[in-house]
C-alpha cells in the first residue's frame, strides 16, 4: 500500500487518484458484468433468450418461476425445489433490486438473474440448515471446542473475562473450558489461567453468561470442561452455583457413569459438565511416569527431550502427556488432590468423566466395555501417538471422546493444524478462539458444516470396524474418489473499502490463492493470475483438485492485492468443507482476518464434481 499522502474523488463513473499533489490519474468505473457461463445458463433456461423454447439473443429473455425451478434442479443440482419456492426467490430478488413491494413482473431478466446468483443468502455455497443425523452418541461427532475460553489475549498476561465466552457461544462453539481457582481469601471461585499474570474473573459471571448465550446460535448441547484446583468445600460451592444458575438446563445422568454417550438431539438446550471425578485425585500417579528420570520437566523442555522410551499405546502416551507436557490448566489433573470428605453432589453433576487410562489400549477397552469417558492429549503427543499407533486412536474415538489441546509454549494463543486430529477421529480439537490465523480459519470452515450448529457427523469410515476389528488407517494411501473443479470472479471490495485502501494511486490488483487442506495426499495449492487495476476481477480460471478423502477435505480461499514494494494486502478469506459444497454457480462470502463476515465482498464460483 502506498505511503504518500493521498486523496481521491469519484464522479461520472470514474475515480481520480492524485499523485504527489501534481498528477491526476482517472480510472473509469466498469460495473461488474455477467460472465459467459452465467449468460449461457440464462440463455438455456430463460424464455425468449434462446432457451426454454424461445428464440432471441443471450440477454433478452425472461426467467420465470418454472424456468428458475428447472435451473435450480438441473444446473445447480438443487433437489426438491418447487415452483412456489422459485417464485418466492424471484419476488425477493425483484424487491431487493427494484425496491418494490407490489410486483408487476414475475420473472428475472439477465441482470436480475446475475444478482440472484451473487446473493449468498439465496444462493449459498453450502446448506444453511442442520441436515445430518443428530441421534448418534456424542462420540460420533466432531464438536466445536474452545481452549481457555475466558482469555481475551495471550496465555500469560491477558485479562480473563466472560466476554470471550459469550463471543465463542455466539459463533457456535459448543465446548467451553474454565479453569477454576480459589480467590485470595479462599472463600469463592475465580476463573483464570493459573500461575500466570492473567487477571481473574468471578466464576459466577462466566456461568451466567453461558446460561444467557449458550443457545444463541445453536440449540445443541453446550459442554463445560472444568479444570478445577479447588478444595472440597469450593467444589460443593461450584455444584450449588451450577444447579442454581442453570436449573433445568443442566443435564446429568442418574448413574455414576455412562455406558454410551447421549446424542445431541436428546440434549437440546441442555448444558453438561465434563471434568475429572473427585475420587480420581486420590489415586497414585501412573507408574510409567514415576519411572521417568525427567519427571519434573516443563512443557518447553519436554519438546527438546529425546524420545528414548518406547511408548507403544495410546494410554501410555496419554499418561506421559498428563504428567509432563500439559499446560497449566491441564496439568492440574496430576497436581491437585481432593479431600477424602468430598461431598457427592459435585461428582453427581459430572456427565462426561475425564481421566487417565491405567493399562494398554486393548486391556482398557476390555475393562471399560460398560463405561465411556474423555481423555486429553497435547498436540505434540497426538503427533507422536498417531505416528506409531494411529489405528488405536481411531478405535478409541469410536466410543470415547478425545480432546486435543495446544502445547504450553503457545503463549501468544496461536493454534495448531487440526486435520491430524480429525483424520484420527478426535472429537474435541480445542482451539484458542480469541486470535486469528490460518489454523483458526480451518476451524471456522469445518464448523460451517451442518448448518453451523457446532456438531459435525464424523465420516462413516471413521466409525466402522471390519470383520477382524480393523479400522480406518489414516496413513494408508487411497484411490481418488472424485475431483473438484472451481472457477470464479469477485465483487464487493469497492463497497467495503475506501478507493485508496489497497493502492494510493490506482485501483487494486487482485489475485486469489486456493488450497485444499485434508489428508496428506489431498493437500494442494493453486494461484490465479493477477487482474490489474480492477475492482471487479474476473479470473475465469478453472482448477482441478483430485480428492482421495473428500469427506475430510477443506477448501480454503484467500484473496490478496498485489503490491510491488510491500507485503501483499489482505482482501478476504473463507474456508468451506468440501463435502458440503453445492454444485453449480454459487455465491461465496468472504471474511476478514478475525473470521467476521465482510458486508459486501464475495466471490461467484462454479463447483463441479467429477
Amino acid at each position: 500500500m502506498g505511503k504518500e499522502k493521498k486523496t481521491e474523488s469519484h464522479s461520472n463513473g470514474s475515480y481520480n487518484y492524485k499523485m504527489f499533489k501534481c498528477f491526476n490519474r482517472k480510472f473509469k468505473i466498469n460495473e461488474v458484468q455477467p460472465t459467459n457461463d452465467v449468460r449461457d445458463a440464462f440463455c438455456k433456461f430463460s424464455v425468449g433468450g434462446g432457451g426454454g423454447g424461445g428464440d432471441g439473443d443471450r440477454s433478452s429473455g425472461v426467467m420465470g418461476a418454472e424456468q428458475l425451478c428447472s435451473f435450480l434442479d438441473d444446473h445447480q443440482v438443487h433437489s426438491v425445489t418447487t415452483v412456489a419456492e422459485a417464485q418466492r426467490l424471484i419476488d425477493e430478488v425483484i424487491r431487493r433490486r427494484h425496491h418494490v413491494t407490489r410486483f408487476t413482473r414475475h420473472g428475472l431478466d439477465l441482470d436480475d438473474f446475475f444478482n440472484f446468483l451473487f446473493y449468498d443468502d439465496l444462493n449459498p455455497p453450502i446448506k444453511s440448515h442442520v441436515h445430518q443425523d443428530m441421534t448418534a452418541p456424542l462420540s460420533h461427532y466432531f464438536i466445536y471446542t474452545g481452549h481457555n475460553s475466558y482469555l481475551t489475549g495471550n496465555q500469560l498476561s491477558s485479562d480473563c473475562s466472560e466476554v470471550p465466552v459469550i463471543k465463542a457461544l455466539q459463533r457456535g462453539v459448543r465446548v467451553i473450558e474454565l479453569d477454576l481457582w480459589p480467590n485470595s481469601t479462599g472463600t469463592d471461585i475465580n476463573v483464570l489461567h493459573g500461575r500466570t499474570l492473567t487477571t481473574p474473573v468471578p466464576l459466577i459471571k462466566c456461568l451466567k453468561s453461558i446460561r444467557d448465550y449458550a443457545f444463541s446460535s445453536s440449540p445443541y448441547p453446550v459442554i463445560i470442561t472444568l479444570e478445577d484446583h479447588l478444595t472440597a468445600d469450593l467444589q460443593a460451592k461450584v455444584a450449588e452455583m451450577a444447579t442454581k444458575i442453570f436449573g433445568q438446563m443442566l443435564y446429568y445422568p442418574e448413574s455414576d457413569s455412562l455406558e454410551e454417550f447421549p446424542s445431541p438431539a436428546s440434549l437440546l438446550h441442555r448444558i453438561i459438565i465434563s471434568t475429572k471425578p473427585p475420587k480420581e485425585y486420590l489415586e497414585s500417579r501412573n507408574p510409567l511416569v514415576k519411572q521417568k528420570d525427567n519427571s519434573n520437566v516443563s512443557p518447553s523442555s519436554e519438546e527438546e527431550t529425546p524420545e528414548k522410551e518406547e511408548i507403544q499405546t495410546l494410554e501410555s502416551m496419554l499418561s506421559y502427556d498428563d504428567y509432563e507436557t500439559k499446560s497449566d490448566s491441564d496439568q492440574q489433573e496430576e497436581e491437585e488432590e481432593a479431600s477424602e470428605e468430598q461431598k457427592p453432589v459435585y461428582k453427581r453433576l459430572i456427565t462426561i468423566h475425564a481421566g487417565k487410562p491405567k493399562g494398554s489400549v486393548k486391556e482398557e477397552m476390555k475393562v471399560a466395555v460398560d463405561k465411556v469417558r474423555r481423555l486429553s492429549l497435547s498436540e505434540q503427543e497426538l503427533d507422536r501417538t498417531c505416528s506409531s499407533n494411529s489405528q488405536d486412536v481411531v478405535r478409541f474415538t469410536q466410543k470415547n471422546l478425545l480432546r486435543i489441546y495446544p502445547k504450553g509454549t503457545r503463549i501468544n494463543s496461536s493454534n495448531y493444524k487440526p486435520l491430524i486430529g480429525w483424520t484420527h477421529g478426535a472429537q474435541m480439537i480445542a482451539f484458542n478462539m480469541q486470535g486469528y490465523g490460518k489454523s483458526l480459519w480451518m476451524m471456522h470452515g469445518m464448523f460451517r458444516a451442518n448448518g453451523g450448529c457446532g456438531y459435525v457427523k464424523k465420516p462413516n469410515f471413521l466409525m466402522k470396524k471390519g470383520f477382524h476389528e480393523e479400522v480406518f488407517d489414516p496413513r494408508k494411501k487411497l484411490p481418488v474418489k472424485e475431483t473438484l473443479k472451481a472457477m470464479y470472479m469477485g465483487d464487493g471490495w469497492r463497497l467495503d473499502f475506501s478507493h485508496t485502501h489497497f493502492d494510493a494511486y490506482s485501483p487494486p490488483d487482485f489475485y486469489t490463492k486456493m488450497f485444499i487442506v485434508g489428508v496428506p495426499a489431498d493437500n494442494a495449492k493453486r494461484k490465479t493470475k493477477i487482474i490489474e487495476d480492477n475492482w471487479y476481477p474476473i479470473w475465469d480460471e478453472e482448477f482441478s483438485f483430485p480428492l482421495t478423502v473428500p469427506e475430510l477435505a477443506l477448501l480454503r480461499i484467500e484473496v490478496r492485492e498485489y503490491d510491488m514494494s510491500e507485503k501483499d494486502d489482505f482482501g478476504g478469506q473463507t474456508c468451506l468443507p468440501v463435502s458440503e459444497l453445492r454444485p453449480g454457480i454459487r455465491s461465496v462470502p468472504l471474511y476478514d482476518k478475525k473470521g467476521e463476515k465482510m458486508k459486501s465482498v464475495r466471490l461467484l464460483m462454479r463447483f463441479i464434481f467429477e
Side-chain angles (χ1 to χ4, degrees), residues 382 385-395 397-398 419-426 461-462 470-478 518-522 548-549 552:
L382 174 71
T385 306
C386 292
S387 65
S388 57
N389 303 90
S390 60
Q391 289 182 286
D392 286 342
V393 181
V394 174
R395 188 176 291 108
T397 57
Q398 290 181 338
L419 263 299
I420 185 172
W422 288 330
T423 55
H424 288 79
F461 61 76
L462 283 174
E470 66 270 19
V471 296
F472 174 70
D473 184 356
R475 297 172 298 179
K476 185 178 179 181
K477 190 171 183 179
L478 301 171
V519 298
D522 292 348
T548 62
V549 188
L552 293 174

Side-chain angles (χ1 to χ4, degrees), residues 67-236:
Q67 292 77 40
L68 180 59
C69 191
S70 297
F71 168 76
L72 295 175
D73 288 342
D74 298 343
H75 192 278
Q76 304 288 81
V77 197
H78 185 92
S79 59
V80 301
T81 303
T82 66
V83 173
E85 289 171 337
Q87 187 61 58
R88 282 194 292 270
L89 291 174
I90 290 173
D91 292 346
E92 180 60 20
V93 172
I94 293 173
R95 185 190 66 79
R96 295 185 190 184
R97 292 208 68 222
H98 304 288
H99 307 288
V100 294
T101 56
R102 291 186 178 182
F103 305 111
T104 57
R105 44 186 285 215
H106 301 284
L108 304 177
D109 61 20
L110 176 60
D111 288 337
D112 292 332
F113 176 67
F114 184 45
N115 278 269
F116 158 70
L117 293 176
F118 255 117
Y119 290 137
D120 60 88
D121 59 330
L122 303 182
N123 184 38
I126 61 177
K127 293 180 179 179
S128 57
H129 60 276
V130 175
H131 57 89
Q132 297 176 353
D133 175 22
M134 303 300 286
T135 62
L138 291 174
S139 56
H140 290 226
Y141 300 85
F142 299 127
I143 309 174
Y144 207 173
T145 303
H147 174 256
N148 290 350
S149 305
Y150 49 86
L151 287 178
T152 58
N154 68 64
Q155 302 287 309
L156 293 182
S157 60
S158 64
D159 293 334
C160 302
S161 170
E162 74 280 9
V163 174
V165 174
I166 294 171
K167 288 183 177 179
L169 292 169
Q170 290 175 328
R171 188 180 286 278
V173 174
R174 297 291 86 190
V175 182
I176 298 295
E177 181 185 26
L178 303 177
D179 289 50
L180 310 184
W181 292 80
N183 67 356
S184 57
T185 63
T187 58
D188 208 346
I189 304 107
N190 281 335
V191 174
L192 74 153
H193 197 193
R195 304 184 183 91
T196 68
L197 300 177
T198 56
T199 58
V201 59
L203 172 63
I204 192 169
K205 275 191 173 184
C206 294
L207 296 184
K208 287 182 176 179
S209 295
I210 293 173
R211 175 197 64 193
D212 295 341
Y213 292 91
F215 308 109
S216 59
S217 64
S218 169
Y220 291 98
V222 167
I223 302 169
I224 305 175
T225 59
L226 299 179
E227 302 288 356
D228 72 86
H229 307 252
L230 305 175
T231 63
D233 288 342
L234 288 181
Q235 287 179 337

Side-chain angles (χ1 to χ4, degrees), residues 31 150 234 241 325 342 390 404 499 600:
E31 293 296 330
Y150 49 86
L234 288 181
M241 277 187 191
T325 64
Q342 170 67 42
S390 60
I404 312 301
H499 300 103
S600 308

Side-chain angles (χ1 to χ4, degrees), residues 282-433:
L282 302 176
E283 297 181 356
S284 60
R285 288 172 177 157
N286 191 293
L288 173 71
V289 177
K290 285 186 174 182
Q291 292 171 4
K292 293 185 178 294
D293 294 331
N294 60 339
S295 61
N296 291 318
V297 296
S298 66
S300 57
S301 62
E302 161 59 21
E303 294 175 27
E304 302 168 357
T305 302
E307 298 179 28
K308 297 181 180 179
E309 304 85 355
E310 293 185 4
I311 303 176
Q312 299 296 331
T313 67
L314 173 63
E315 276 76 8
S316 60
M317 280 295 185
L318 288 164
S319 301
Y320 180 79
D321 168 74
D322 280 344
Y323 190 68
E324 293 191 1
T325 64
K326 284 187 179 293
S327 61
D328 287 337
S329 63
D330 294 285
Q331 193 173 351
Q332 63 86 26
E333 290 188 355
E334 293 299 320
E335 293 177 345
E336 294 293 323
E337 294 186 346
S339 167
E340 301 223 25
E341 298 177 354
Q342 170 67 42
K343 297 180 181 180
V345 64
Y346 180 74
K347 177 182 176 182
R348 187 167 59 88
L349 298 183
I350 302 171
T351 297
I352 301 176
H353 289 195
K356 63 178 183 179
K358 304 173 181 63
S360 69
V361 171
K362 292 182 180 179
E363 290 303 314
E364 185 67 20
M365 293 292 283
K366 290 178 182 178
V367 173
V369 67
D370 60 343
K371 182 173 64 175
V372 291
R373 56 183 173 163
R374 169 179 69 83
L375 296 172
S376 291
L377 193 63
S378 71
E379 60 173 287
Q380 65 266 50
E381 289 304 322
L382 174 71
D383 289 341
R384 195 181 304 175
T385 306
C386 292
S387 65
S388 57
N389 303 90
S390 60
Q391 289 182 286
D392 286 342
V393 181
V394 174
R395 188 176 291 108
F396 178 81
T397 57
Q398 290 181 338
K399 185 177 180 181
N400 299 278
L401 296 177
L402 181 60
R403 171 180 170 268
I404 312 301
Y405 60 90
K407 60 187 179 183
T409 53
R410 292 188 180 276
I411 60 175
N412 62 346
S413 295
S414 62
N415 289 297
Y416 50 99
K417 295 180 180 179
L419 263 299
I420 185 172
W422 288 330
T423 55
H424 288 79
Q427 298 88 350
M428 296 181 175
I429 308 297
F431 260 37
N432 297 305
M433 299 292 176

